[in-house]
Structures are given as structure tokens and as C-alpha cells.
Amino acid sequence: MFSLPGLPYPYNALEPYIDEKTMQIHHDKHHGAYVKNLNDALAGNDALLAIPIENILKNLNQVPEAVRTKVRNNGGGHANHSLFWQIMAPKTGGAPSGEIAKVIDRDFGNFAAFVEKFSSAGMGRFGSGWVWLINDAGKLSIVDTPNQDTPLMENKVPILGLDVWEHAYYLKYQNLRADYIKAWWNVVNWQEVVKRFASV
Ligand code: MN
């Protein structure tokens, strides 16, 4: 069985950039529903219920075809949001330092250029989806995915992700996705991104 991980900070911790009500609904209702639907889809399949969701997503062709789309959508939702809560934190943001800062400079030119490219990918993702920073054997790149798809499905490792579904920002920002993305950089938890970068 999969379970909804708790938020590592209070619902209002990311104010004023991400509001309390959005965090509450996003975590409890949206992520909660992905977890419930994932468990429902895999009910009775004890083997799959026992392995990490990331491993299931890397091997979706091993999921029974009858429930594969449900597992893709809801398992993707579970994995993506589990990462998303971790890579944000209060009193963070700014630019990273250390090794990852050097790698960002090497692969994108400089931090501002990286932010610009990542933000543009978020604006360019039509409809619902995600933007990711990928660590591909030490080389960083930016990709975006539709719906709840994840780079894990392509065997790529996401170390930072931005949810651009309207449910992530509509209460506070309405249609202004650009304002949400701009604000989001203030809550990026680079310490966690560095940890994920180092563990690949
Ligand atoms: Mn979401």
C-alpha cells in the first residue's frame, strides 16, 4: 500500500509565495487522491504494492495493461508530488552554491540563464504538466512532461520539479502562471536538490 507522505513544513510555511489554502488542497486532496487511486488500481497486486513507486514508473510495461494508464497517471502523481514537497522549503530560494552552482554555470551559462530557460519551459508547457531539471550522468538538462508523466519513465533522474497544473496556483494567481513561477523560485530548497544531485 502507498501512503500520503506528510508535508515537511506547515501548510502556511511557503507564504506569501504559495498560499496556505493551495497547499492544503494540493497536498491533502490532489496528492491524496493520487495515492488512493493508485492503491485502488493495484488492489490485490501485492508484488507491485510492495515496491517503491519510482521503480514501478521506470518499468511501466511490467504493470498489467488493464491498469497501466491508471498507474501511470496516479503513480506519476504520487511520485511527482512526493518530490515537489521536498524540493520546496520556507526561507530558501536564491541561488545555490558549491558544486551544483558550477555545474549549472557549465551547462546553462549562468544561474539567471538557467532560471530563464526553466521558467520558459514552464510557460511553454500547454495545459497541465511539469518542468524538470534532470541529472543525466552529471550533465544537467531541462525537460517538461504532460499530465503526471515523469522523466523516470525515460530512465532519467529528476532532481528539481515544478508543478504547472492550474491546481498548483489558481487560487492565488488565477491565470497568471508566470507570476506563480516567478514566486516559486523563492521557495526552492537547493539543499534538497543538491542532495538528489549528489546521490545519482
Ligand atoms: Mn499538483
Side-chain angles (χ1 to χ4, degrees), residues 84-97:
F84 191 52
W85 313 133
Q86 297 287 332
I87 58 83
M88 298 189 291
K91 300 187 178 70
T92 49
S97 56

Side-chain angles (χ1 to χ4, degrees), residues 80 132-134 143 145 149-158:
N80 293 345
W132 307 98
L133 180 63
I134 304 297
V143 298
T145 55
D149 283 2
T150 150
L152 293 169
M153 294 166 182
E154 312 282 327
N155 253 305
K156 297 269 173 23
V157 183

Side-chain angles (χ1 to χ4, degrees), residues 22-23 25-26 30-31 34 81 85 128 130 148 163-171:
T22 295
M23 288 301 289
I25 295 174
H26 199 177
H30 290 277
H31 191 173
Y34 296 128
H81 289 84
W85 313 133
S128 298
W130 291 75
Q148 294 296 351
D163 188 345
V164 295
W165 282 58
E166 281 189 345
H167 71 218
Y169 62 87
Y170 203 84
L171 291 181

